[in-house]
Amino acid sequence: MVFFKAFAIAAACLSLVDANPLRERAQGFNYNDNKVRGVNLGGWLVLEPWITPSIFEEWANGGGVVDEYTLTATLGKDEASRRLNTHWSSWITEADFAEIASFGLNHVRIPVGYWAFNPLPGDPYVQGQLPYLDQAIGWARNHGLKVMLDLHGAPGSQNGFDNSGKKGPIQWQSGDNVPNTVTAIRNLAARYASQSDVVTAIQLLNEPANWGNDMGQIKKFYYDGWGTVRDYNKDTAVVIHDAFLDPQSYWNGFMNYESGVNDVILDTHIYQIFTDDQVAMKPCQHVQTACSSIPRIQGTDKWLVVGEWTGAQTDCAKWLNGLGRGARYDGTFEGKGYYGDCQTKYQGTVDGLLEVDKINMEYYIEAQLDAYESHSGWIFWAWKTESAPEWNFRDLTRAGIIPQPLTARKHPGQCQTTQCMIPGN
């Protein structure tokens, strides 16, 4: 009876995974049988103040600069180009790709803005990113890594976040913004059509908000974007974000294999830090919440990758909530609750973290690895940061907080028990 039950469960899980079967194709990565294990090259070709605060420091006390749009508008084309080329040429180098591969990772997700592929009249953004992106794809090939190209910002902003390039109102679905986004996808797909051995996935748009946008238009854009990629490559995986809606109850049945499209990955982002209830959770609650995501992740009828997640259990990192803004955790964001002292988590290094924070993260990260490998895999945000230690995959791994190899566990079985395994919790 036990054997039959186990067999039935295994067969059910297999049927879900095989709902989008991988036929014989010249695809550069087998998303059916191999787990995605990757990192996001955040803060490189799309700026985020909290990842590289040094670029924004002169506006720490005001001046209207809060994102890449206002930065380039304030500096002007020439000075913005000079500063950004300095950043692009130094923030990510081939040494990063070599270390990424040495850690057993197989993917890098590279965020890039529409303005790199389809600059629009009147935009202050500067160009020049693409030679660095071309170079990065070569580095990935040199080190056996696959690349997911992620359109992280759309004209008008798809979510109003600073990481879309322009913080403020959501205006993506007004005017010609959506067609201009499709043009950016077309230019991206055309540019890298011959490099599908490395560029194995193209994400049509990062985190379009289900608020401020019409979901029907988002779904139409996903079909249009899929068709645009297919015009240039029939095998490259096309990634769609879940728009912060349930991957299973909302997205099952949409763009699955039975609907007539192939090789679609659903991207979901899992953070436990952007509400007061989340930052109020104890370490074991964070672990339990990560483990509780397994049924939702497994129950999708498409490949599913957790395309962003982190070791952070707080929103303490400097400017994580926006340039000049504080944290929910210590009550400096909107002055609501107080859940603890940010201490070394605000700005510093992994080595400088409190030992208790290191231990808590160790358990939390391992639980997330177990949970997110229950389907197609994961991509950690971010590869590195200037001074946000909870988010720095490179330094967390160097310090032994992220396991090596990635399948090793100091604290196995956390998702197989309801008991808290973290000391002192």
Side-chain angles (χ1 to χ4, degrees):
M1 187 68 178
V2 172
F3 170 79
F4 177 78
K5 183 177 180 182
F7 177 82
I9 293 171
C13 291
L14 185 61
S15 70
L16 286 169
V17 173
D18 282 352
N20 191 356
L22 180 71
R23 297 175 296 180
E24 288 299 321
R25 301 190 185 103
Q27 192 174 55
F29 187 83
N30 184 336
Y31 289 100
N32 258 6
D33 300 327
N34 298 322
K35 299 298 183 186
V36 173
R37 295 171 179 145
V39 286
N40 285 276
L41 303 187
W44 184 32
L45 302 181
V46 177
L47 297 181
E48 299 192 35
W50 72 273
I51 296 178
T52 55
S54 66
I55 294 175
F56 294 85
E57 198 64 51
E58 64 190 271
W59 298 281
N61 297 315
V65 172
V66 294
D67 51 28
E68 186 163 340
Y69 187 97
T70 51
L71 177 84
T72 52
T74 299
L75 293 177
K77 296 281 188 181
D78 290 346
E79 180 61 14
S81 181
R82 186 190 69 78
R83 294 193 190 190
L84 287 180
N85 272 280
T86 298
H87 170 67
W88 295 332
S89 66
S90 59
W91 182 244
I92 297 294
T93 69
E94 186 166 8
D96 290 291
F97 279 76
E99 191 167 14
I100 288 167
S102 77
F103 287 158
L105 296 161
N106 54 35
H107 274 68
V108 290
R109 180 174 179 253
I110 305 181
V112 62
Y114 76 88
W115 53 92
F117 293 98
N118 185 27
L120 300 176
D123 276 351
Y125 298 116
V126 296
Q127 285 67 56
Q129 305 92 333
L130 295 186
Y132 297 100
L133 182 56
D134 295 344
Q135 189 175 50
I137 290 167
W139 293 337
R141 181 177 289 108
N142 292 346
H143 297 282
L145 295 166
K146 306 304 180 183
V147 172
M148 178 185 292
L149 293 179
D150 154 42
L151 197 72
H152 215 69
S157 181
Q158 72 276 18
N159 52 34
F161 303 156
D162 59 9
N163 58 49
S164 71
K166 187 177 184 182
K167 184 178 181 179
I170 299 171
Q171 298 176 330
W172 173 52
Q173 292 180 339
S174 63
D176 292 328
N177 288 337
V178 173
N180 281 325
T181 307
V182 175
T183 298
I185 291 293
R186 181 172 300 281
N187 293 342
L188 184 161
R191 188 180 185 94
Y192 298 110
S194 65
Q195 302 198 54
S196 59
D197 61 315
V198 174
V199 181
T200 57
I202 292 173
Q203 180 153 8
L204 301 178
L205 189 59
N206 178 68
E207 295 185 343
N210 65 71
W211 62 95
N213 287 309
D214 176 75
M215 284 305 300
Q217 289 189 52
I218 289 177
K219 289 180 174 181
K220 181 181 184 303
F221 165 75
Y222 282 165
Y223 270 106
D224 291 345
W226 180 88
T228 299
V229 174
R230 289 288 167 265
D231 286 344
Y232 296 93
N233 193 293
K234 63 185 176 64
D235 303 318
T236 300
V238 175
V239 186
I240 61 173
H241 184 262
D242 65 12
F244 307 103
L245 295 169
D246 187 83
Q248 188 177 152
S249 64
Y250 188 86
W251 290 103
N252 274 359
F254 178 77
M255 294 187 83
N256 59 1
Y257 192 73
E258 287 74 14
S259 68
V261 300
N262 65 287
D263 299 297
V264 172
I265 299 173
L266 184 64
D267 173 30
T268 191
H269 298 169
I270 301 180
Y271 294 117
Q272 298 183 31
I273 55 172
F274 290 117
T275 69
D276 280 76
D277 288 344
Q278 289 174 333
V279 296
M281 291 195 296
K282 301 300 182 185
C284 279
Q285 292 175 290
H286 284 291
V287 166
Q288 290 160 356
T289 300
C291 293
S292 72
S293 69
I294 292 176
R296 189 170 71 254
I297 290 170
Q298 285 182 330
T300 58
D301 61 1
K302 294 172 282 296
W303 295 321
L304 180 142
V305 169
V306 181
E308 292 187 21
W309 62 284
T310 181
Q313 298 179 59
T314 75
D315 63 338
C316 284
K318 178 180 178 179
W319 298 345
L320 178 65
N321 294 305
L323 195 152
R325 307 192 78 183
R328 295 168 186 84
Y329 189 71
D330 66 0
T332 59
F333 178 56
E334 290 176 344
K336 292 183 178 177
Y338 175 87
Y339 308 100
D341 191 334
C342 282
Q343 294 175 301
T344 57
K345 297 186 285 290
Y346 173 71
Q347 192 171 24
T349 65
V350 170
D351 289 342
L353 288 169
L354 300 178
E355 285 304 311
V356 65
D357 291 329
K358 294 179 184 179
I359 293 169
N360 288 340
M361 259 200 294
E362 223 176 66
Y363 280 86
Y364 181 44
I365 287 170
E366 288 193 8
Q368 290 185 92
L369 291 172
D370 289 342
Y372 306 157
E373 290 204 3
S374 65
H375 204 342
S376 305
W378 50 266
I379 306 175
F380 188 98
W381 190 282
W383 165 237
K384 64 181 180 180
T385 65
E386 282 184 348
S387 60
E390 295 177 291
W391 299 77
N392 191 322
F393 188 98
R394 183 194 66 184
D395 291 357
L396 288 168
T397 306
R398 289 176 179 177
I401 295 170
I402 293 175
Q404 285 290 286
L406 290 163
T407 53
R409 296 291 180 268
K410 295 178 185 176
H411 317 293
Q414 291 186 91
C415 290
Q416 279 73 56
T417 180
T418 58
Q419 300 299 311
C420 180
M421 297 173 64
I422 305 174
N425 285 273

